[in-house]
């Protein structure tokens, strides 16, 4: 019986030309983008990964499949040493995903052209630690948010531009009342208000944030916390200052002052809503002037719903989270709920011990 000749995969072969490698590297990156798109990832997520790969490729100066663990050590240990943890984690994840793609799709070709065996340079020793969700956003208290909106509402009677001010006020009320993200508010249409659904009416959020960069995740948000009354006031008394055609298909719920070529209003941008909230905080809640953002109002909404007795599963559904663990990070208790629970536990323990002593 003859023995087969086995060649070591690490044995060097005649390398391909520079032009061939450049063309191959371009094709590989295009294939990576297409593969991630076919997996259902959002365009923004894919662009972020490609941007991270291009940053590392520029620093390395060679195709990324040539990276060794020592190269990754130098990049993450020196170049990104002082960078935010989110940046380090995003680069590390993008590189790890890219190498998984190379191993699955192009390991044989890369070895044939370069003699290299694809092996991810990120390992358990140099993998960046931390979490992208490490930042803790403690929202203002209920009296503080009440003071903000009371002062903002009073400003409507004297402000120079009633329409934009009222629009920004209404959008912020939705963020604080039903936990809308600012980008979700911008993309709402008038037709997304379903007045007859449920006990209070509902908002059809068609462009909710998907899990881990996947595409839009739809949800129905009940108009609790007087959100329905706020919306009715805005549509009946304010919306007409921007546009005069409520029945137009695709008419935005929150219009911009700018017009389309046909004379209809454009959709407001998130910058306008952020700036409106920032200016209102400076005027009516100065202690939060530089800290109050749309996302902080979303945390406030989750905390208030929890304090008012809503269970975490229901809050998860309102906010549109894929994981209950994410919802739990949004709940911040200002009062003595934890202390009360601890004292109640101590009392139950004392009663049990008392029964044993008798």
């Amino acid at each position: 019986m003859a023995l087969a000749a086995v060649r070591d995969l690490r044995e060097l072969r005649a390398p391909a030309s520079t032009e061939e490698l450049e063309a191959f590297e371009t094709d590989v990156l295009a294939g990576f983008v297409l593969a991630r798109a076919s997996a259902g990832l959002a365009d923004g997520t894919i662009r972020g990964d490609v941007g991270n790969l291009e940053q590392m490729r520029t620093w390395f100066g060679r195709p990324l499949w040539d990276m060794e663990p020592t190269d990754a050590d130098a990049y993450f240990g020196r170049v990104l040493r002082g960078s935010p943890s989110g940046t380090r984690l995003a680069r590390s994840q993008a590189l790890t995903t890219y190498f998984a793609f190379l191993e699955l799709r192009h390991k044989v070709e890369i070895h044939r052209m370069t003699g290299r065996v694809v092996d991810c340079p990120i390992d358990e020793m140099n993998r960046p630690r931390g979490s992208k969700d490490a930042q803790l956003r403690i929202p203002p208290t209920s009296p503080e948010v009440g003071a903000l909106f009371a002062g903002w509402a009073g400003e409507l009677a004297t402000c120079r531009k009633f329409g934009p001010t009222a629009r920004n006020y209404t959008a912020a009320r939705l963020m604080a009342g039903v936990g809308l993200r600012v980008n979700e508010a911008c993309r709402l249409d008038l037709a997304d208000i379903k007045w007859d659904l449920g006990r209070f009416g509902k908002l059809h959020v068609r462009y909710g944030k998907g899990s881990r960069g996947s595409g839009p995740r739809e949800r129905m948000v009940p108009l609790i916390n007087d959100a329905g009354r706020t919306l009715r006031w805005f549509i009946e008394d304010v919306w007409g200052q921007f546009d005069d055609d409520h029945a137009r298909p695709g008419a935005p719920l929150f219009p911009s002052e700018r017009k389309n070529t046909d004379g209809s209003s454009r959709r407001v941008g998130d910058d306008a809503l952020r700036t409106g909230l920032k200016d209102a905080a400076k005027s009516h809640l100065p202690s939060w002037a530089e800290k109050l953002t749309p996302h902080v109002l979303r945390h406030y909404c989750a905390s208030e719903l929890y304090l008012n007795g809503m269970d975490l599963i229901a809050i998860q559904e309102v906010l549109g989270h894929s994981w209950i663990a994410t919802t739990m990070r949004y709940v911040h208790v200002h009062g003595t709920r934890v202390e009360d629970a601890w004292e109640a536990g101590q009392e139950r323990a004392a009663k049990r011990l008392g029964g044993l002593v008798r």
Side-chain angles (χ1 to χ4, degrees):
M1 181 177 177
L3 294 176
V6 179
R7 303 185 69 175
D8 187 353
L9 278 178
R10 296 184 182 271
E11 181 182 344
L12 293 178
R13 311 286 180 88
S17 67
T18 303
E19 292 76 14
E20 289 176 322
L21 284 176
E22 288 178 353
F24 178 64
E25 186 179 14
T26 301
D27 291 342
V28 167
L29 186 59
F32 175 75
V33 170
L34 183 59
R36 302 305 282 162
S38 69
L41 270 71
D43 291 345
T45 302
I46 298 173
R47 284 195 299 270
D49 284 347
V50 171
N52 285 320
L53 294 174
E54 289 176 344
Q55 291 272 2
M56 290 182 282
R57 174 65 170 83
T58 300
W59 170 83
F60 191 50
R62 305 197 304 276
L64 290 175
W65 57 67
D66 284 343
M67 285 190 77
E68 300 281 355
T70 51
D71 298 317
D73 294 346
Y75 184 71
F76 289 99
R78 290 202 298 264
V79 179
L80 295 187
R81 180 68 176 176
S83 299
S85 61
T87 300
R88 294 160 53 82
L89 287 166
R91 298 271 169 90
S92 171
Q93 184 58 50
L95 190 63
T96 301
T97 305
Y98 182 63
F99 266 85
F101 172 77
L102 294 177
E103 290 188 37
L104 288 170
R105 301 283 184 91
H106 299 290
K107 178 167 61 176
V108 175
E109 291 175 277
I110 292 174
H111 181 262
R112 178 175 56 80
M113 299 178 73
T114 68
R116 291 191 60 82
V117 175
V118 173
D119 192 16
C120 183
I122 301 294
D123 54 34
E124 290 305 313
M125 296 303 297
N126 62 13
R127 188 183 310 280
R129 268 52 173 178
S131 170
K132 292 182 182 179
D133 299 313
Q135 184 180 5
L136 189 61
R137 295 182 175 92
I138 304 297
T141 63
S142 182
E144 287 175 323
V145 172
L148 167 70
F149 285 117
W152 204 346
E155 180 187 343
L156 295 176
T158 58
C159 62
R160 186 170 64 89
K161 289 188 174 183
F162 172 75
T165 304
R167 176 201 61 202
N168 299 340
Y169 167 85
T170 303
R173 289 296 299 258
L174 289 182
M175 296 170 200
V178 297
L180 284 185
R181 299 178 177 93
V182 63
N183 290 325
E184 293 172 346
C186 291
R187 302 186 74 172
L188 286 170
D189 289 347
L190 279 175
D192 290 328
I193 307 177
K194 311 299 182 183
W195 298 109
D196 298 328
L197 289 183
R199 297 182 183 178
F200 310 103
K202 294 189 178 183
L203 271 178
H204 182 197
V205 179
R206 293 175 291 117
Y207 295 98
K209 181 181 177 182
S211 173
R212 297 181 180 179
S214 61
R217 187 167 183 261
E218 297 184 55
R219 70 182 188 277
M220 301 297 292
V221 179
L223 297 176
I224 54 179
N225 285 330
D226 286 332
R229 185 170 63 177
T230 302
L231 280 175
R232 286 189 186 277
W233 164 77
F234 174 73
I235 292 170
E236 293 174 0
D237 297 345
V238 182
W239 196 90
Q241 297 197 18
F242 295 95
D243 206 328
D244 59 0
D245 187 3
H246 289 77
R248 176 170 58 86
L253 174 59
F254 295 117
S256 168
E257 294 178 278
R258 298 180 179 180
K259 301 293 184 180
N260 295 311
T261 55
D262 62 358
S264 60
S265 292
R266 295 183 184 179
R267 194 176 300 277
V268 72
D270 66 291
D271 286 345
L273 299 185
R274 292 179 190 277
T275 301
L277 176 60
K278 183 177 180 180
D279 292 344
K282 285 182 180 179
S283 300
H284 310 297
L285 196 63
S287 61
W288 280 83
E290 300 300 325
K291 299 179 292 182
L292 191 61
T293 66
H295 208 69
V296 170
L297 287 183
R298 186 167 153 85
H299 279 250
Y300 167 79
C301 173
S303 301
E304 285 300 299
L305 292 177
Y306 184 71
L307 286 172
N308 289 328
M310 184 178 284
D311 63 80
L312 287 172
I313 300 298
I315 298 173
Q316 176 189 9
E317 186 175 344
V318 170
L319 298 185
H321 288 150
S322 298
W323 308 101
I324 192 67
T326 306
T327 305
M328 292 173 68
R329 289 196 293 270
Y330 276 64
V331 173
H332 312 277
V333 182
H334 285 286
T336 59
R337 191 182 188 94
V338 175
E339 292 91 333
D340 293 344
W342 180 82
E343 289 184 352
Q346 293 295 307
E347 291 177 2
R348 289 193 298 270
K351 289 179 180 179
R352 289 197 297 271
L353 290 174
L356 291 174
V357 170
R358 295 191 191 94

